[in-house]
Amino acid sequence: MPSYTKQIVFLVGSTGNTGSSIVRALAKQPERFVIKALVRPSSMDKPIVQEFRKLGVEIVPGDLADDTQESLETKLQNTDILINTTLPFIREHQNKLFLAAKHSGVKRVVPSDFGPSAPPGVMKYQDSKLKLRQFIIKNEIPCTFIQVGWWPSLLFPYRHSVEGTSIRITMGKRFYGSGKVKIAYTDLERVGDFVARIITDPRTLNKTVQTWDGETTLEEVWDIASRITGENFDDYPRFSAEDIESTLRNNPDFITMVMSEYRRSVFIRGDNTVEKAVGLGALDARVLYPDYVPLPLEEIAKKFYGSN
């Protein structure tokens, strides 16, 4: 069995969907990783934090909004790898975190990318991530940028019996574009498995990495959904490129704007493919790690429909 030098990994945003996937994957390898997680004092009693404690995670009280750069530097002492999965909207919070990492000697930072690939100027949300990348590079902070494919849970249509007005359910009962545009996807629960490989790989230092389980089309996904559920989803509304553009022209609220730009990029423009990500300079994670075994889309679908 190979011997490893343990890496101290400090996570900010660990209790979210992506962060918790990473924590659980790293916790499976206690011989390789020591995990610390910054958690707001108000969240200390949440079930997911209690789960982390049982997994051996060291919980560090703190709040990215309230901590000063100096206090973050203290908390990051002896850290090898910093991973941030918080939303990158407030630039000053992000900037002070990564400057603190630099000043405390962190060997690698991973900012909150963890989304589909897209070129500049297509999505305002993606552009905010790209600006943060530029800040990290400008300040000569050792880094890795990790992109993930579209979550399959945002591709499958919800059953007719599922009710609600949340964005997920509303989006999950709509068909976008022609349905023939290729889409790279990464199962959320597998994001952490990729991250565990990437963050200690010298080949990925100061690089962008595209993770993916497979590529599909919305048409193929909905066909799988019909086979597994026995339901016909043809009655769900279809939204064209012009429908999406119309929404964007009408000054939507922030969340609607972000989701509409994602739909245009992923389902209409076809930005989210492995070929295009590599064309923009990303390394292909499946080439880096040929032993990785992806979960078939049919299995992901069975898991999805078993839980809703």
Side-chain angles (χ1 to χ4, degrees):
M1 187 167 180
S3 61
Y4 299 101
T5 300
K6 282 193 177 184
Q7 301 289 295
I8 298 176
V9 183
F10 194 106
L11 284 108
V12 179
S14 61
T15 59
N17 289 318
T18 299
S20 58
S21 172
I22 295 170
V23 168
R24 292 175 183 125
L26 299 184
K28 293 176 183 177
Q29 302 183 61
E31 74 283 0
R32 298 187 65 188
F33 300 111
V34 174
I35 310 168
K36 297 183 179 182
L38 187 74
V39 176
R40 289 191 298 268
S42 60
S43 299
M44 287 295 178
D45 294 329
K46 287 185 175 180
I48 193 168
V49 177
Q50 300 309 311
E51 176 195 343
F52 288 172
R53 292 184 190 278
K54 292 178 182 179
L55 291 174
V57 177
E58 179 183 336
I59 304 301
V60 179
D63 190 328
L64 193 55
D66 298 331
D67 272 298
T68 64
Q69 183 177 314
E70 291 71 22
S71 65
L72 289 168
E73 288 177 17
T74 299
K75 290 171 181 176
L76 288 169
Q77 288 296 316
N78 302 314
T79 293
D80 295 297
I81 301 159
L82 166 66
I83 302 175
N84 179 33
T85 62
T86 62
L87 299 177
F89 298 134
I90 305 178
R91 290 287 301 282
E92 58 267 27
H93 293 172
Q94 305 287 324
N95 291 356
K96 72 179 177 183
L97 174 63
F98 292 114
L99 287 176
K102 177 180 180 178
H103 294 155
S104 58
V106 173
K107 299 180 181 66
R108 185 187 309 220
V109 304
V110 181
S112 188
D113 282 276
F114 300 107
S117 176
V122 173
M123 296 186 288
K124 294 181 178 66
Y125 184 49
Q126 174 72 358
D127 287 347
S128 68
K129 296 180 180 182
L130 297 178
K131 288 178 182 177
L132 182 57
R133 292 188 192 185
Q134 293 167 3
F135 176 84
I136 290 170
I137 293 169
K138 179 181 178 181
N139 284 278
E140 299 180 331
I141 304 171
C143 58
T144 301
F145 307 130
I146 302 176
Q147 300 174 164
V148 303
W150 196 246
W151 292 352
S153 61
L154 298 179
L155 291 174
F156 293 116
Y158 279 86
R159 294 178 185 271
H160 289 80
S161 59
V162 176
E163 298 180 350
T165 58
S166 70
I167 290 177
R168 277 204 174 191
I169 294 175
T170 300
M171 186 176 178
K173 289 192 173 185
R174 293 176 176 177
F175 191 94
Y176 296 98
S178 68
K180 300 182 185 300
V181 174
K182 188 183 294 185
I183 303 165
Y185 64 86
T186 306
D187 185 44
L188 174 60
E189 293 183 12
R190 296 298 188 91
V191 170
D193 295 335
F194 275 115
V195 171
R197 296 166 183 258
I198 292 167
I199 60 176
T200 58
D201 189 341
R203 297 173 297 175
T204 63
L205 186 62
N206 299 321
K207 301 290 186 181
T208 300
V209 184
Q210 177 68 42
T211 75
W212 59 292
D213 282 308
E215 290 186 311
T216 187
T217 67
L218 197 58
E219 192 173 67
E220 291 170 348
V221 170
W222 283 44
D223 284 345
I224 291 171
S226 291
R227 290 202 304 271
I228 290 176
T229 64
E231 296 185 34
N232 187 319
F233 299 103
D234 289 346
D235 59 316
Y236 284 178
R238 292 179 173 251
F239 284 73
S240 67
E242 176 52 33
D243 291 327
I244 295 172
E245 294 298 338
S246 177
T247 299
L248 290 169
R249 284 195 299 268
N250 289 327
N251 298 315
D253 61 74
F254 179 75
I255 296 298
T256 302
M257 181 270 291
V258 169
M259 296 311 299
S260 294
E261 288 187 337
Y262 265 123
R263 292 163 188 158
R264 178 176 62 187
S265 176
V266 172
F267 300 118
I268 306 299
R269 286 174 49 92
D271 294 318
N272 177 43
T273 69
V274 178
E275 180 181 8
K276 289 185 177 180
V278 171
L280 290 172
L283 301 177
D284 183 339
R286 295 280 299 279
V287 172
L288 290 173
Y289 313 112
D291 61 323
Y292 176 82
V293 180
L295 194 64
L297 194 55
E298 289 80 359
E299 294 302 313
I300 298 175
K302 291 175 183 176
K303 180 176 60 175
F304 176 80
Y305 288 110
S307 63
N308 76 85

PDB file of all heavy atoms in Angstrom, residues 81-101:
ATOM      1  N   ILE A  81      -3.677  22.986   1.468  1.00  0.00           N
ATOM      2  CA  ILE A  81      -4.614  23.245   0.364  1.00  0.00           C
ATOM      3  C   ILE A  81      -5.850  23.946   0.913  1.00  0.00           C
ATOM      4  O   ILE A  81      -6.467  23.475   1.877  1.00  0.00           O
ATOM      5  CB  ILE A  81      -5.027  21.924  -0.320  1.00  0.00           C
ATOM      6  CG1 ILE A  81      -3.796  21.200  -0.864  1.00  0.00           C
ATOM      7  CG2 ILE A  81      -6.038  22.185  -1.438  1.00  0.00           C
ATOM      8  CD1 ILE A  81      -4.000  19.723  -1.081  1.00  0.00           C
ATOM      9  N   LEU A  82      -6.221  25.056   0.297  1.00  0.00           N
ATOM     10  CA  LEU A  82      -7.452  25.769   0.640  1.00  0.00           C
ATOM     11  C   LEU A  82      -8.455  25.569  -0.485  1.00  0.00           C
ATOM     12  O   LEU A  82      -8.150  25.819  -1.654  1.00  0.00           O
ATOM     13  CB  LEU A  82      -7.177  27.265   0.815  1.00  0.00           C
ATOM     14  CG  LEU A  82      -8.404  28.185   0.848  1.00  0.00           C
ATOM     15  CD1 LEU A  82      -9.253  27.919   2.092  1.00  0.00           C
ATOM     16  CD2 LEU A  82      -7.982  29.651   0.781  1.00  0.00           C
ATOM     17  N   ILE A  83      -9.661  25.119  -0.134  1.00  0.00           N
ATOM     18  CA  ILE A  83     -10.745  24.955  -1.117  1.00  0.00           C
ATOM     19  C   ILE A  83     -11.909  25.832  -0.689  1.00  0.00           C
ATOM     20  O   ILE A  83     -12.399  25.727   0.446  1.00  0.00           O
ATOM     21  CB  ILE A  83     -11.207  23.488  -1.218  1.00  0.00           C
ATOM     22  CG1 ILE A  83     -10.034  22.580  -1.614  1.00  0.00           C
ATOM     23  CG2 ILE A  83     -12.349  23.359  -2.223  1.00  0.00           C
ATOM     24  CD1 ILE A  83     -10.385  21.100  -1.615  1.00  0.00           C
ATOM     25  N   ASN A  84     -12.363  26.683  -1.597  1.00  0.00           N
ATOM     26  CA  ASN A  84     -13.499  27.551  -1.309  1.00  0.00           C
ATOM     27  C   ASN A  84     -14.652  27.200  -2.241  1.00  0.00           C
ATOM     28  O   ASN A  84     -14.480  27.155  -3.462  1.00  0.00           O
ATOM     29  CB  ASN A  84     -13.106  29.021  -1.510  1.00  0.00           C
ATOM     30  CG  ASN A  84     -14.257  29.957  -1.238  1.00  0.00           C
ATOM     31  OD1 ASN A  84     -15.101  29.689  -0.390  1.00  0.00           O
ATOM     32  ND2 ASN A  84     -14.311  31.067  -1.964  1.00  0.00           N
ATOM     33  N   THR A  85     -15.821  26.947  -1.661  1.00  0.00           N
ATOM     34  CA  THR A  85     -16.991  26.645  -2.489  1.00  0.00           C
ATOM     35  C   THR A  85     -18.124  27.632  -2.238  1.00  0.00           C
ATOM     36  O   THR A  85     -19.260  27.377  -2.638  1.00  0.00           O
ATOM     37  CB  THR A  85     -17.506  25.207  -2.241  1.00  0.00           C
ATOM     38  OG1 THR A  85     -17.925  25.076  -0.881  1.00  0.00           O
ATOM     39  CG2 THR A  85     -16.433  24.178  -2.538  1.00  0.00           C
ATOM     40  N   THR A  86     -17.825  28.768  -1.576  1.00  0.00           N
ATOM     41  CA  THR A  86     -18.861  29.778  -1.381  1.00  0.00           C
ATOM     42  C   THR A  86     -19.088  30.543  -2.678  1.00  0.00           C
ATOM     43  O   THR A  86     -18.217  30.620  -3.539  1.00  0.00           O
ATOM     44  CB  THR A  86     -18.469  30.769  -0.271  1.00  0.00           C
ATOM     45  OG1 THR A  86     -17.277  31.463  -0.649  1.00  0.00           O
ATOM     46  CG2 THR A  86     -18.246  30.047   1.044  1.00  0.00           C
ATOM     47  N   LEU A  87     -20.269  31.133  -2.821  1.00  0.00           N
ATOM     48  CA  LEU A  87     -20.604  31.875  -4.036  1.00  0.00           C
ATOM     49  C   LEU A  87     -19.681  33.085  -4.174  1.00  0.00           C
ATOM     50  O   LEU A  87     -19.483  33.829  -3.206  1.00  0.00           O
ATOM     51  CB  LEU A  87     -22.067  32.321  -4.004  1.00  0.00           C
ATOM     52  CG  LEU A  87     -23.096  31.193  -3.930  1.00  0.00           C
ATOM     53  CD1 LEU A  87     -24.501  31.768  -3.842  1.00  0.00           C
ATOM     54  CD2 LEU A  87     -22.976  30.265  -5.116  1.00  0.00           C
ATOM     55  N   PRO A  88     -19.132  33.315  -5.368  1.00  0.00           N
ATOM     56  CA  PRO A  88     -18.099  34.339  -5.537  1.00  0.00           C
ATOM     57  C   PRO A  88     -18.637  35.741  -5.827  1.00  0.00           C
ATOM     58  O   PRO A  88     -18.070  36.480  -6.623  1.00  0.00           O
ATOM     59  CB  PRO A  88     -17.318  33.809  -6.748  1.00  0.00           C
ATOM     60  CG  PRO A  88     -18.353  33.151  -7.585  1.00  0.00           C
ATOM     61  CD  PRO A  88     -19.333  32.532  -6.602  1.00  0.00           C
ATOM     62  N   PHE A  89     -19.740  36.112  -5.187  1.00  0.00           N
ATOM     63  CA  PHE A  89     -20.355  37.400  -5.507  1.00  0.00           C
ATOM     64  C   PHE A  89     -19.654  38.575  -4.832  1.00  0.00           C
ATOM     65  O   PHE A  89     -19.495  39.630  -5.413  1.00  0.00           O
ATOM     66  CB  PHE A  89     -21.835  37.400  -5.099  1.00  0.00           C
ATOM     67  CG  PHE A  89     -22.657  36.381  -5.827  1.00  0.00           C
ATOM     68  CD1 PHE A  89     -23.543  35.569  -5.160  1.00  0.00           C
ATOM     69  CD2 PHE A  89     -22.530  36.228  -7.196  1.00  0.00           C
ATOM     70  CE1 PHE A  89     -24.301  34.625  -5.830  1.00  0.00           C
ATOM     71  CE2 PHE A  89     -23.283  35.283  -7.884  1.00  0.00           C
ATOM     72  CZ  PHE A  89     -24.162  34.491  -7.198  1.00  0.00           C
ATOM     73  N   ILE A  90     -19.246  38.396  -3.584  1.00  0.00           N
ATOM     74  CA  ILE A  90     -18.660  39.507  -2.835  1.00  0.00           C
ATOM     75  C   ILE A  90     -17.147  39.421  -2.968  1.00  0.00           C
ATOM     76  O   ILE A  90     -16.482  38.640  -2.288  1.00  0.00           O
ATOM     77  CB  ILE A  90     -19.114  39.480  -1.367  1.00  0.00           C
ATOM     78  CG1 ILE A  90     -20.650  39.480  -1.291  1.00  0.00           C
ATOM     79  CG2 ILE A  90     -18.550  40.680  -0.613  1.00  0.00           C
ATOM     80  CD1 ILE A  90     -21.213  39.408   0.109  1.00  0.00           C
ATOM     81  N   ARG A  91     -16.607  40.237  -3.862  1.00  0.00           N
ATOM     82  CA  ARG A  91     -15.203  40.126  -4.233  1.00  0.00           C
ATOM     83  C   ARG A  91     -14.258  40.347  -3.061  1.00  0.00           C
ATOM     84  O   ARG A  91     -13.235  39.662  -2.934  1.00  0.00           O
ATOM     85  CB  ARG A  91     -14.883  41.147  -5.339  1.00  0.00           C
ATOM     86  CG  ARG A  91     -15.513  40.835  -6.686  1.00  0.00           C
ATOM     87  CD  ARG A  91     -14.814  39.668  -7.371  1.00  0.00           C
ATOM     88  NE  ARG A  91     -13.403  39.936  -7.582  1.00  0.00           N
ATOM     89  CZ  ARG A  91     -12.929  40.707  -8.549  1.00  0.00           C
ATOM     90  NH1 ARG A  91     -13.751  41.299  -9.404  1.00  0.00           N
ATOM     91  NH2 ARG A  91     -11.637  40.885  -8.680  1.00  0.00           N
ATOM     92  N   GLU A  92     -14.590  41.320  -2.185  1.00  0.00           N
ATOM     93  CA  GLU A  92     -13.657  41.609  -1.094  1.00  0.00           C
ATOM     94  C   GLU A  92     -13.508  40.436  -0.143  1.00  0.00           C
ATOM     95  O   GLU A  92     -12.433  40.214   0.417  1.00  0.00           O
ATOM     96  CB  GLU A  92     -14.073  42.869  -0.332  1.00  0.00           C
ATOM     97  CG  GLU A  92     -15.463  42.833   0.281  1.00  0.00           C
ATOM     98  CD  GLU A  92     -16.532  43.432  -0.623  1.00  0.00           C
ATOM     99  OE1 GLU A  92     -16.350  43.405  -1.862  1.00  0.00           O
ATOM    100  OE2 GLU A  92     -17.547  43.911  -0.088  1.00  0.00           O
ATOM    101  N   HIS A  93     -14.577  39.648   0.031  1.00  0.00           N
ATOM    102  CA  HIS A  93     -14.483  38.457   0.877  1.00  0.00           C
ATOM    103  C   HIS A  93     -13.550  37.427   0.247  1.00  0.00           C
ATOM    104  O   HIS A  93     -12.711  36.815   0.917  1.00  0.00           O
ATOM    105  CB  HIS A  93     -15.858  37.835   1.093  1.00  0.00           C
ATOM    106  CG  HIS A  93     -16.779  38.691   1.894  1.00  0.00           C
ATOM    107  ND1 HIS A  93     -18.110  38.375   2.064  1.00  0.00           N
ATOM    108  CD2 HIS A  93     -16.578  39.843   2.564  1.00  0.00           C
ATOM    109  CE1 HIS A  93     -18.687  39.311   2.814  1.00  0.00           C
ATOM    110  NE2 HIS A  93     -17.788  40.207   3.122  1.00  0.00           N
ATOM    111  N   GLN A  94     -13.718  37.228  -1.051  1.00  0.00           N
ATOM    112  CA  GLN A  94     -12.884  36.267  -1.771  1.00  0.00           C
ATOM    113  C   GLN A  94     -11.426  36.724  -1.770  1.00  0.00           C
ATOM    114  O   GLN A  94     -10.507  35.940  -1.516  1.00  0.00           O
ATOM    115  CB  GLN A  94     -13.386  36.115  -3.203  1.00  0.00           C
ATOM    116  CG  GLN A  94     -14.849  35.741  -3.341  1.00  0.00           C
ATOM    117  CD  GLN A  94     -15.141  34.303  -2.974  1.00  0.00           C
ATOM    118  OE1 GLN A  94     -14.339  33.418  -3.233  1.00  0.00           O
ATOM    119  NE2 GLN A  94     -16.274  34.057  -2.365  1.00  0.00           N
ATOM    120  N   ASN A  95     -11.216  38.000  -2.058  1.00  0.00           N
ATOM    121  CA  ASN A  95      -9.843  38.519  -2.168  1.00  0.00           C
ATOM    122  C   ASN A  95      -9.078  38.372  -0.853  1.00  0.00           C
ATOM    123  O   ASN A  95      -7.919  37.954  -0.844  1.00  0.00           O
ATOM    124  CB  ASN A  95      -9.866  39.982  -2.600  1.00  0.00           C
ATOM    125  CG  ASN A  95     -10.346  40.162  -4.033  1.00  0.00           C
ATOM    126  OD1 ASN A  95     -10.588  39.182  -4.735  1.00  0.00           O
ATOM    127  ND2 ASN A  95     -10.495  41.397  -4.462  1.00  0.00           N
ATOM    128  N   LYS A  96      -9.738  38.730   0.253  1.00  0.00           N
ATOM    129  CA  LYS A  96      -9.016  38.649   1.532  1.00  0.00           C
ATOM    130  C   LYS A  96      -8.713  37.200   1.907  1.00  0.00           C
ATOM    131  O   LYS A  96      -7.676  36.909   2.515  1.00  0.00           O
ATOM    132  CB  LYS A  96      -9.800  39.348   2.645  1.00  0.00           C
ATOM    133  CG  LYS A  96     -11.050  38.624   3.122  1.00  0.00           C
ATOM    134  CD  LYS A  96     -11.744  39.401   4.258  1.00  0.00           C
ATOM    135  CE  LYS A  96     -13.023  38.722   4.687  1.00  0.00           C
ATOM    136  NZ  LYS A  96     -13.739  39.498   5.733  1.00  0.00           N
ATOM    137  N   LEU A  97      -9.605  36.280   1.517  1.00  0.00           N
ATOM    138  CA  LEU A  97      -9.356  34.865   1.811  1.00  0.00           C
ATOM    139  C   LEU A  97      -8.110  34.381   1.092  1.00  0.00           C
ATOM    140  O   LEU A  97      -7.242  33.728   1.693  1.00  0.00           O
ATOM    141  CB  LEU A  97     -10.567  34.026   1.398  1.00  0.00           C
ATOM    142  CG  LEU A  97     -10.412  32.508   1.505  1.00  0.00           C
ATOM    143  CD1 LEU A  97     -10.201  32.087   2.952  1.00  0.00           C
ATOM    144  CD2 LEU A  97     -11.630  31.792   0.918  1.00  0.00           C
ATOM    145  N   PHE A  98      -7.977  34.716  -0.197  1.00  0.00           N
ATOM    146  CA  PHE A  98      -6.844  34.197  -0.956  1.00  0.00           C
ATOM    147  C   PHE A  98      -5.548  34.946  -0.662  1.00  0.00           C
ATOM    148  O   PHE A  98      -4.464  34.359  -0.723  1.00  0.00           O
ATOM    149  CB  PHE A  98      -7.192  34.187  -2.438  1.00  0.00           C
ATOM    150  CG  PHE A  98      -8.270  33.186  -2.753  1.00  0.00           C
ATOM    151  CD1 PHE A  98      -9.524  33.596  -3.191  1.00  0.00           C
ATOM    152  CD2 PHE A  98      -8.060  31.837  -2.548  1.00  0.00           C
ATOM    153  CE1 PHE A  98     -10.522  32.678  -3.433  1.00  0.00           C
ATOM    154  CE2 PHE A  98      -9.060  30.901  -2.781  1.00  0.00           C
ATOM    155  CZ  PHE A  98     -10.292  31.323  -3.230  1.00  0.00           C
ATOM    156  N   LEU A  99      -5.653  36.210  -0.288  1.00  0.00           N
ATOM    157  CA  LEU A  99      -4.455  36.915   0.174  1.00  0.00           C
ATOM    158  C   LEU A  99      -3.993  36.344   1.516  1.00  0.00           C
ATOM    159  O   LEU A  99      -2.787  36.200   1.756  1.00  0.00           O
ATOM    160  CB  LEU A  99      -4.733  38.409   0.295  1.00  0.00           C
ATOM    161  CG  LEU A  99      -4.866  39.176  -1.020  1.00  0.00           C
ATOM    162  CD1 LEU A  99      -5.236  40.628  -0.754  1.00  0.00           C
ATOM    163  CD2 LEU A  99      -3.567  39.097  -1.836  1.00  0.00           C
ATOM    164  N   ALA A 100      -4.938  35.997   2.371  1.00  0.00           N
ATOM    165  CA  ALA A 100      -4.588  35.356   3.637  1.00  0.00           C
ATOM    166  C   ALA A 100      -3.893  34.023   3.381  1.00  0.00           C
ATOM    167  O   ALA A 100      -2.918  33.669   4.063  1.00  0.00           O
ATOM    168  CB  ALA A 100      -5.843  35.153   4.485  1.00  0.00           C
ATOM    169  N   ALA A 101      -4.396  33.282   2.391  1.00  0.00           N
ATOM    170  CA  ALA A 101      -3.766  32.002   2.043  1.00  0.00           C
ATOM    171  C   ALA A 101      -2.325  32.214   1.584  1.00  0.00           C
ATOM    172  O   ALA A 101      -1.411  31.472   1.964  1.00  0.00           O
ATOM    173  CB  ALA A 101      -4.576  31.312   0.958  1.00  0.00           C
TER     174      ALA A 101
END
